Amino acid sequence: AQLTAPTVDLTGKRILVTAGGTRERLDPVRFLTNDSSGKMGYAVAAAAQRAGATVTLITAPTALTVPRGVTVVPIESTQELADAVTSRFPQADALIMAAAVADFQPLTAATQKIKKTADNDELTLTLKKTPDILKTVAPMKQADQVVVGFAAETQELLKNGRQKLRHKHLDMLAANDVSRADIGFNGDNNQVTFLFADGTSQQTPVASKRVIGERLIEQVAKLFAKK
Ligand code: CTP
Ligand code: CA
């Protein structure tokens, strides 16, 4: 049974959502990743689906169940996520990048398991920057497409958020203060500030990720209406 009725109607809209923390391979049994649980992205995908949209969820590995009716595309690395997003973006009406994307990946992934050797007390990893997916997508963006980013910040939430909104050419950015223990990455609750390209902003109350997902989808519907 549905606990809350969809508050907006996105019937006919194709919405691409990304979720989870990407994994960057070090060797066949090890990878670098981050604290993302994927809960926020899954909540956004579920809210979009309840609103009637056709939803594709591109997801890094998580412990979560894919919402019913949502098409799932599993990825692991940032490069795989970048390929999955860029190939599907032209057919999408909106892209919502809730994935926690690794900023760096090992320069090379070892083909065999890295061994500890008797003479090495230290191991140095060389990392290289991953592609910035939102920046890659920006030049492909059509006037009627909506692009939403997330930003997890530990300081200067609004200043850093505004900068990302501009640099990544977003219609909206959901900024999230991850220095607070009660909200964010792993919990079930969240609080975000929606920043818009027109300079306005709106803060949600602390609420379940389900509710935050619904509020976000309401904002996406408003952005469609303005296009
Ligand atoms: N993002 C992306 N490609 C990357 C890194 C991030 O598309 N390589 C997206 C995220 O999915 C998110 C937004 O960009 O929607 C902001 O991510 P964030 O990590 O906050 O910003 P960065 O640009 O990586 O800056 P930094 O981590 O240095 O604050
Ligand atoms: Ca980053």
Short mmCIF file of all heavy atoms in Angstrom, two decimals, residues 8-42:
data_model
loop_
_atom_site.label_atom_id
_atom_site.label_comp_id
_atom_site.label_asym_id
_atom_site.label_seq_id
_atom_site.Cartn_x
_atom_site.Cartn_y
_atom_site.Cartn_z
N VAL A 8 2.64 15.19 -7.16
CA VAL A 8 2.75 15.79 -8.50
C VAL A 8 2.59 14.69 -9.54
O VAL A 8 2.72 13.51 -9.23
CB VAL A 8 4.12 16.48 -8.70
CG1 VAL A 8 4.22 17.74 -7.85
CG2 VAL A 8 5.27 15.55 -8.43
N ASP A 9 2.31 15.10 -10.77
CA ASP A 9 2.13 14.14 -11.85
C ASP A 9 3.25 14.30 -12.88
O ASP A 9 3.35 15.33 -13.53
CB ASP A 9 0.76 14.37 -12.51
CG ASP A 9 0.48 13.33 -13.59
OD1 ASP A 9 1.21 12.31 -13.66
OD2 ASP A 9 -0.47 13.55 -14.37
N LEU A 10 4.07 13.28 -12.98
CA LEU A 10 5.18 13.30 -13.95
C LEU A 10 4.97 12.25 -15.04
O LEU A 10 5.93 11.78 -15.65
CB LEU A 10 6.51 13.07 -13.24
CG LEU A 10 7.01 14.19 -12.33
CD1 LEU A 10 8.35 13.83 -11.71
CD2 LEU A 10 7.14 15.51 -13.09
N THR A 11 3.72 11.91 -15.30
CA THR A 11 3.40 10.94 -16.34
C THR A 11 4.03 11.38 -17.67
O THR A 11 3.92 12.55 -18.04
CB THR A 11 1.88 10.80 -16.50
OG1 THR A 11 1.34 10.44 -15.24
CG2 THR A 11 1.52 9.74 -17.53
N GLY A 12 4.70 10.45 -18.34
CA GLY A 12 5.31 10.74 -19.63
C GLY A 12 6.74 11.26 -19.53
O GLY A 12 7.44 11.33 -20.54
N LYS A 13 7.19 11.59 -18.33
CA LYS A 13 8.57 12.08 -18.18
C LYS A 13 9.51 10.90 -17.95
O LYS A 13 9.22 9.98 -17.20
CB LYS A 13 8.67 13.04 -16.98
CG LYS A 13 7.86 14.30 -17.12
CD LYS A 13 8.37 15.19 -18.23
CE LYS A 13 7.64 16.53 -18.23
NZ LYS A 13 7.95 17.30 -19.47
N ARG A 14 10.66 10.95 -18.60
CA ARG A 14 11.71 9.93 -18.42
C ARG A 14 12.78 10.52 -17.52
O ARG A 14 13.41 11.52 -17.86
CB ARG A 14 12.29 9.53 -19.77
CG ARG A 14 11.30 8.75 -20.64
CD ARG A 14 11.65 8.86 -22.09
NE ARG A 14 11.61 10.26 -22.52
CZ ARG A 14 11.88 10.69 -23.74
NH1 ARG A 14 12.22 9.84 -24.67
NH2 ARG A 14 11.82 11.98 -24.04
N ILE A 15 12.95 9.89 -16.37
CA ILE A 15 13.86 10.45 -15.37
C ILE A 15 14.98 9.47 -15.04
O ILE A 15 14.75 8.30 -14.75
CB ILE A 15 13.08 10.86 -14.11
CG1 ILE A 15 12.02 11.90 -14.52
CG2 ILE A 15 14.02 11.41 -13.04
CD1 ILE A 15 11.38 12.66 -13.41
N LEU A 16 16.18 9.99 -15.17
CA LEU A 16 17.39 9.22 -14.90
C LEU A 16 17.89 9.62 -13.52
O LEU A 16 18.11 10.81 -13.26
CB LEU A 16 18.41 9.65 -15.97
CG LEU A 16 19.48 8.73 -16.49
CD1 LEU A 16 18.93 7.38 -16.90
CD2 LEU A 16 20.17 9.41 -17.68
N VAL A 17 18.05 8.63 -12.63
CA VAL A 17 18.55 8.91 -11.28
C VAL A 17 19.81 8.07 -11.06
O VAL A 17 19.85 6.90 -11.45
CB VAL A 17 17.49 8.53 -10.22
CG1 VAL A 17 17.99 8.84 -8.81
CG2 VAL A 17 16.16 9.23 -10.47
N THR A 18 20.82 8.67 -10.45
CA THR A 18 22.01 7.90 -10.08
C THR A 18 22.09 7.82 -8.57
O THR A 18 21.64 8.72 -7.86
CB THR A 18 23.31 8.52 -10.63
OG1 THR A 18 23.58 9.74 -9.92
CG2 THR A 18 23.23 8.80 -12.12
N ALA A 19 22.65 6.71 -8.07
CA ALA A 19 22.66 6.51 -6.61
C ALA A 19 23.85 5.66 -6.18
O ALA A 19 24.40 4.89 -6.97
CB ALA A 19 21.36 5.82 -6.17
N GLY A 20 24.21 5.84 -4.92
CA GLY A 20 25.25 5.00 -4.31
C GLY A 20 26.64 5.57 -4.49
O GLY A 20 26.84 6.57 -5.19
N GLY A 21 27.58 4.95 -3.84
CA GLY A 21 28.97 5.37 -3.92
C GLY A 21 29.72 4.52 -4.93
O GLY A 21 29.69 3.29 -4.86
N THR A 22 30.39 5.19 -5.87
CA THR A 22 31.12 4.42 -6.89
C THR A 22 32.33 3.71 -6.25
O THR A 22 32.82 4.11 -5.20
CB THR A 22 31.58 5.29 -8.06
OG1 THR A 22 32.44 6.32 -7.56
CG2 THR A 22 30.41 5.90 -8.78
N ARG A 23 32.75 2.65 -6.90
CA ARG A 23 33.89 1.84 -6.43
C ARG A 23 35.01 1.90 -7.46
O ARG A 23 34.78 1.63 -8.64
CB ARG A 23 33.48 0.37 -6.31
CG ARG A 23 32.47 0.11 -5.24
CD ARG A 23 32.12 -1.36 -5.23
NE ARG A 23 31.30 -1.68 -4.07
CZ ARG A 23 30.90 -2.90 -3.75
NH1 ARG A 23 31.25 -3.93 -4.52
NH2 ARG A 23 30.16 -3.11 -2.69
N GLU A 24 36.20 2.23 -6.98
CA GLU A 24 37.36 2.32 -7.86
C GLU A 24 38.31 1.19 -7.51
O GLU A 24 38.86 1.13 -6.42
CB GLU A 24 38.02 3.69 -7.71
CG GLU A 24 37.07 4.87 -7.87
CD GLU A 24 36.30 4.89 -9.18
OE1 GLU A 24 36.84 4.43 -10.21
OE2 GLU A 24 35.14 5.36 -9.18
N ARG A 25 38.50 0.30 -8.46
CA ARG A 25 39.28 -0.93 -8.23
C ARG A 25 40.76 -0.67 -7.99
O ARG A 25 41.39 0.07 -8.73
CB ARG A 25 39.20 -1.83 -9.47
CG ARG A 25 37.97 -2.66 -9.57
CD ARG A 25 38.09 -3.96 -8.80
NE ARG A 25 36.77 -4.29 -8.28
CZ ARG A 25 36.54 -4.92 -7.14
NH1 ARG A 25 37.55 -5.33 -6.40
NH2 ARG A 25 35.33 -5.15 -6.74
N LEU A 26 41.29 -1.31 -6.96
CA LEU A 26 42.74 -1.33 -6.73
C LEU A 26 43.34 -2.62 -7.26
O LEU A 26 44.43 -2.64 -7.83
CB LEU A 26 43.02 -1.28 -5.23
CG LEU A 26 42.95 0.08 -4.57
CD1 LEU A 26 42.93 -0.09 -3.05
CD2 LEU A 26 44.15 0.91 -4.98
N ASP A 27 42.62 -3.68 -7.02
CA ASP A 27 43.04 -5.02 -7.49
C ASP A 27 41.80 -5.90 -7.49
O ASP A 27 40.70 -5.42 -7.18
CB ASP A 27 44.22 -5.54 -6.62
CG ASP A 27 43.84 -5.99 -5.23
OD1 ASP A 27 42.64 -6.15 -4.94
OD2 ASP A 27 44.76 -6.20 -4.40
N PRO A 28 41.91 -7.18 -7.85
CA PRO A 28 40.69 -7.99 -8.00
C PRO A 28 39.83 -8.11 -6.74
O PRO A 28 38.66 -8.46 -6.82
CB PRO A 28 41.22 -9.37 -8.42
CG PRO A 28 42.54 -9.08 -9.07
CD PRO A 28 43.11 -7.91 -8.31
N VAL A 29 40.40 -7.82 -5.57
CA VAL A 29 39.62 -8.00 -4.33
C VAL A 29 39.48 -6.72 -3.50
O VAL A 29 38.95 -6.76 -2.39
CB VAL A 29 40.23 -9.11 -3.44
CG1 VAL A 29 40.14 -10.47 -4.15
CG2 VAL A 29 41.67 -8.81 -3.06
N ARG A 30 39.95 -5.57 -4.04
CA ARG A 30 39.92 -4.35 -3.24
C ARG A 30 39.50 -3.15 -4.09
O ARG A 30 39.79 -3.08 -5.28
CB ARG A 30 41.30 -4.06 -2.65
CG ARG A 30 41.83 -5.20 -1.78
CD ARG A 30 43.14 -4.79 -1.16
NE ARG A 30 43.70 -5.81 -0.31
CZ ARG A 30 44.68 -6.66 -0.67
NH1 ARG A 30 45.19 -6.60 -1.89
NH2 ARG A 30 45.12 -7.54 0.19
N PHE A 31 38.83 -2.20 -3.40
CA PHE A 31 38.43 -0.98 -4.10
C PHE A 31 38.38 0.18 -3.13
O PHE A 31 38.33 0.01 -1.91
CB PHE A 31 37.06 -1.15 -4.77
CG PHE A 31 35.99 -1.68 -3.85
CD1 PHE A 31 35.32 -0.84 -2.97
CD2 PHE A 31 35.65 -3.03 -3.87
CE1 PHE A 31 34.32 -1.32 -2.13
CE2 PHE A 31 34.66 -3.52 -3.02
CZ PHE A 31 33.99 -2.68 -2.14
N LEU A 32 38.40 1.41 -3.67
CA LEU A 32 38.19 2.63 -2.89
C LEU A 32 36.74 3.05 -3.08
O LEU A 32 36.22 3.01 -4.19
CB LEU A 32 39.10 3.76 -3.42
CG LEU A 32 40.59 3.49 -3.42
CD1 LEU A 32 41.32 4.67 -4.07
CD2 LEU A 32 41.10 3.25 -2.01
N THR A 33 36.11 3.47 -1.97
CA THR A 33 34.74 3.96 -2.09
C THR A 33 34.46 4.99 -1.01
O THR A 33 35.40 5.55 -0.44
CB THR A 33 33.73 2.79 -2.08
OG1 THR A 33 32.43 3.26 -2.40
CG2 THR A 33 33.67 2.09 -0.71
N ASN A 34 33.21 5.29 -0.75
CA ASN A 34 32.85 6.32 0.24
C ASN A 34 31.65 5.86 1.07
O ASN A 34 31.17 4.75 0.90
CB ASN A 34 32.56 7.64 -0.47
CG ASN A 34 31.44 7.49 -1.49
OD1 ASN A 34 30.31 7.21 -1.14
ND2 ASN A 34 31.78 7.63 -2.77
N ASP A 35 31.17 6.74 1.94
CA ASP A 35 30.15 6.37 2.93
C ASP A 35 28.71 6.35 2.41
O ASP A 35 27.79 6.11 3.17
CB ASP A 35 30.19 7.36 4.10
CG ASP A 35 31.16 6.91 5.17
OD1 ASP A 35 31.29 5.70 5.36
OD2 ASP A 35 31.78 7.78 5.82
N SER A 36 28.51 6.63 1.13
CA SER A 36 27.13 6.72 0.63
C SER A 36 26.39 5.40 0.79
O SER A 36 26.90 4.34 0.43
CB SER A 36 27.14 7.11 -0.84
OG SER A 36 25.82 7.03 -1.36
N SER A 37 25.16 5.47 1.31
CA SER A 37 24.33 4.27 1.44
C SER A 37 23.47 4.05 0.20
O SER A 37 22.96 2.96 -0.02
CB SER A 37 23.41 4.40 2.65
OG SER A 37 22.51 5.49 2.44
N GLY A 38 23.27 5.11 -0.59
CA GLY A 38 22.37 5.05 -1.74
C GLY A 38 20.92 5.38 -1.39
O GLY A 38 20.08 5.50 -2.28
N LYS A 39 20.62 5.53 -0.10
CA LYS A 39 19.22 5.70 0.33
C LYS A 39 18.55 6.93 -0.30
O LYS A 39 17.39 6.86 -0.70
CB LYS A 39 19.14 5.84 1.86
CG LYS A 39 19.35 4.53 2.60
CD LYS A 39 19.34 4.75 4.11
CE LYS A 39 19.76 3.49 4.86
NZ LYS A 39 20.03 3.77 6.29
N MET A 40 19.29 8.04 -0.38
CA MET A 40 18.68 9.27 -0.91
C MET A 40 18.31 9.09 -2.39
O MET A 40 17.20 9.42 -2.80
CB MET A 40 19.63 10.46 -0.70
CG MET A 40 18.99 11.81 -0.87
SD MET A 40 17.61 12.13 0.26
CE MET A 40 16.26 12.16 -0.87
N GLY A 41 19.24 8.54 -3.16
CA GLY A 41 18.97 8.33 -4.59
C GLY A 41 17.81 7.36 -4.82
O GLY A 41 16.96 7.59 -5.69
N TYR A 42 17.76 6.29 -4.03
CA TYR A 42 16.67 5.32 -4.16
C TYR A 42 15.34 5.97 -3.80
O TYR A 42 14.30 5.70 -4.43
CB TYR A 42 16.93 4.08 -3.29
CG TYR A 42 17.83 3.05 -3.95
CD1 TYR A 42 19.10 3.39 -4.40
CD2 TYR A 42 17.41 1.74 -4.14
CE1 TYR A 42 19.93 2.47 -5.00
CE2 TYR A 42 18.23 0.79 -4.75
CZ TYR A 42 19.49 1.16 -5.17
OH TYR A 42 20.30 0.23 -5.78
#
